[in-house]
């Protein structure tokens, strides 16, 4: 395997150090957790000390994977570490964890717009998941791919590709998954843990949010909305909405989805998804957010009717602006 210079430099920096703290973005997902734990297990296999610290706990289905319940949830990190390895974060503030900037920071990410905030930076927008990058790093460190490491790499890829739906998938993605299966990953068990271990409140909440779904005038954009009152009435929580945004995309005509989640008052988390060449990240960036072409998010404030109108207009423009061969 040809090794790119960033991976080599990061592998050298890791070999030269002993104590690591690993962090990733707030409200972690399968890729952030999988990437962190795959690397944490690899570091421990090398005889190094690795602590994983996040601002928020993993979603309940992800909690079933090895090592996840042991992740430390804290708003700040202190203590003697030789390096902080940050994965999946465009900038350090996305961690929601303070104090990381006091260490030698290694930045490993695949999100467009990464700000190169580390002492060492490795950014690869072609990676379908940050877990693909971690797989390369584990190889560069000459750590054998154990079942625990492989399970987390596979978890990262399965979830970040939307179970192999998104355009970032490459032949490499499947090469890595093949290696993971050969290392002992059970793909049936991973899928069952991730997708078939919901609680009833989550299903009811999906029902309530989807029955209130609106479609734009062109019939191409689904608009979904959730506030605290709706969540309470359905007996679910905001965490239970993980993955809900992808469901409207299963309708053939729907090209994009925008999901408004009330934070408080007139402040909203806005999540967006799109199909194919529709660049939804460009819309998120206009509001100070970011993400990938097909999955992006931001925070926005204002009356919900006005916000919906603004976002729908911008998404319609993104749909009409995509390359003609994809229409
Ligand atoms: P989600 O809709 O699942 O919260 O996020 C979808 C994607 O967009 C994720 O890859 C996430 O990292 C990115 N994203 C979501 N919200 C923000 C944000 O406020 N800022 C940036 N830079 N990226 C975001
Ligand atoms: Mn990711």
């Amino acid at each position: 395997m040809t090794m790119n210079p960033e991976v080599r430099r990061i592998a050298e920096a890791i070999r030269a150090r002993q104590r690591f703290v690993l962090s990733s973005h707030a409200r972690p997902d399968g890729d952030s957790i999988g990437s962190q734990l795959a690397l944490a297990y690899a570091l421990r296999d090398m005889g190094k000390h690795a602590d994983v610290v996040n601002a928020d706990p993993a979603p309940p289905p992800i909690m079933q994977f090895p090592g996840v319940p042991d992740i430390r949830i804290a708003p700040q990190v202190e203590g003697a570490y030789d390096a902080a390895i940050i994965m999946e974060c465009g900038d350090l503030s996305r961690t929601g964890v303070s104090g990381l900037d006091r260490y030698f920071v290694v930045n490993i990410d695949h999100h467009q717009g990464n700000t190169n905030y580390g002492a060492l930076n490795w950014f690869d927008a072609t990676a379908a998941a940050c877990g693909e990058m971690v797989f390369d790093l584990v190889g560069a460190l000459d750590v054998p791919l154990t079942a625990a490491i492989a399970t987390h790499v596979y978890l990262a890829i399965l979830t970040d590709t939307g179970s192999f739906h998104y355009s970032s998938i490459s032949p490499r993605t499947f090469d890595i998954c093949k290696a993971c299966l050969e290392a002992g990953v059970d793909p049936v068990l991973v899928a069952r843990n991730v997708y078939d271990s919901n609680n009833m409140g989550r299903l009811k909440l999906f029902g309530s949010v989807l029955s209130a779904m609106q479609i734009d005038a062109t019939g191409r954009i689904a608009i979904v909305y959730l506030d605290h009152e709706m969540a309470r009435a359905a007996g679910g929580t905001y965490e239970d909405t993980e993955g809900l945004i992808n469901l409207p995309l299963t309708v053939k005509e729907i090209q994009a989805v925008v999901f408004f989640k009330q934070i408080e008052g007139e402040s909203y988390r806005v999540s967006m998804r799109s199909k194919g060449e529709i660049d939804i990240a460009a819309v998120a960036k206009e509001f100070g957010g970011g993400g990938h072409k097909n999955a992006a998010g931001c925070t926005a404030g204002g009356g919900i009717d006005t916000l919906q109108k603004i976002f729908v207009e911008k998404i319609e423009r993104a749909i009409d602006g995509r390359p003609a061969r994809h229409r």
Side-chain angles (χ1 to χ4, degrees):
M1 186 180 79
T2 52
M3 199 186 295
N4 80 41
E6 284 99 339
V7 190
R8 207 186 51 236
R9 271 196 289 272
I10 291 173
E12 279 166 12
I14 287 175
R15 283 204 178 89
R17 291 170 171 77
Q18 184 58 30
R19 292 179 56 83
F20 299 87
V21 59
L22 279 60
S23 192
S24 185
H25 55 79
R27 296 175 293 112
D29 58 16
D31 191 22
S32 47
I33 297 289
S35 296
Q36 286 180 294
L37 282 176
L39 188 56
Y41 278 115
L43 293 171
R44 290 168 195 156
D45 288 350
M46 295 171 80
K48 300 195 183 281
H49 181 92
D51 288 336
V52 182
V53 181
N54 286 337
D56 302 302
I62 306 292
M63 210 48 106
Q64 304 173 99
F65 288 89
V68 184
D70 303 327
I71 293 177
R72 185 140 53 87
I73 309 303
Q76 84 278 331
V77 39
E78 48 206 30
Y81 295 107
D82 304 319
I85 305 180
I86 315 297
M87 277 166 284
E88 277 269 289
C89 292
D91 61 70
L92 210 45
S93 69
R94 288 267 296 143
T95 58
V97 176
S98 63
L100 292 163
D101 55 345
R102 291 185 291 117
Y103 305 106
F104 180 88
V105 170
V106 178
N107 160 18
I108 302 175
D109 186 28
H110 69 140
H111 293 91
Q112 215 49 268
N114 187 286
T115 56
N116 280 331
Y117 52 85
L120 289 175
N121 300 283
W122 178 24
F123 167 71
D124 181 2
T126 70
C130 193
E132 285 192 3
M133 303 172 75
V134 172
F135 176 87
D136 282 357
L137 181 55
V138 170
L141 291 167
D142 292 319
V143 175
L145 193 67
T146 60
I149 297 174
T151 295
H152 280 288
V153 169
Y154 186 83
L155 168 68
I157 293 175
L158 179 71
T159 54
D160 235 35
T161 60
S163 356
F164 305 104
H165 276 54
Y166 301 151
S167 54
S168 51
I169 297 161
S170 72
R172 247 192 88 56
T173 310
F174 289 98
D175 286 342
I176 295 171
C177 290
K178 176 175 188 275
C180 289
L181 263 59
E182 285 167 352
V185 171
D186 178 350
V188 177
L189 183 62
V190 175
R192 198 187 302 144
N193 281 345
V194 174
Y195 299 112
D196 301 335
S197 55
N198 293 329
N199 59 65
M200 195 51 82
R202 174 170 149 100
L203 194 65
K204 294 238 163 92
L205 186 58
F206 273 42
S208 129
V209 170
L210 290 177
S211 27
M213 177 178 73
Q214 293 174 266
I215 306 296
D216 80 315
T218 72
R220 300 175 300 179
I221 304 169
I223 305 138
V224 275
Y225 171 85
L226 174 68
D227 58 30
H228 295 290
E229 186 49 43
M230 286 168 74
R232 222 181 350 260
T237 66
Y238 272 33
E239 285 70 45
D240 290 329
T241 60
E242 174 74 31
L244 190 161
I245 189 170
N246 297 310
L247 292 182
L249 281 186
T250 62
V251 175
K252 191 171 172 60
E253 293 75 22
I254 295 296
Q255 300 295 316
V257 186
V258 56
F259 187 1
F260 295 92
K261 263 188 258 186
Q262 181 194 37
I263 301 168
E264 58 184 12
E266 294 202 321
S267 162
Y268 297 91
R269 273 296 308 163
V270 186
S271 286
M272 290 174 278
R273 298 290 185 274
S274 65
K275 281 177 178 161
E277 291 302 309
I278 300 162
D279 186 3
I280 220 79
V283 179
K285 267 182 218 136
E286 285 189 52
F287 293 87
H292 312 274
K293 188 170 63 186
N294 295 138
C298 59
T299 303
I304 188 64
D305 293 340
T306 312
L307 276 183
Q308 289 190 358
K309 195 159 164 287
I310 293 171
F311 275 88
V312 164
E313 274 172 20
K314 287 187 188 299
I315 297 169
E316 279 173 354
R317 231 171 288 149
I319 294 175
D320 293 329
R322 73 198 190 278
R325 71 190 163 89
H326 293 283
R327 286 184 198 172

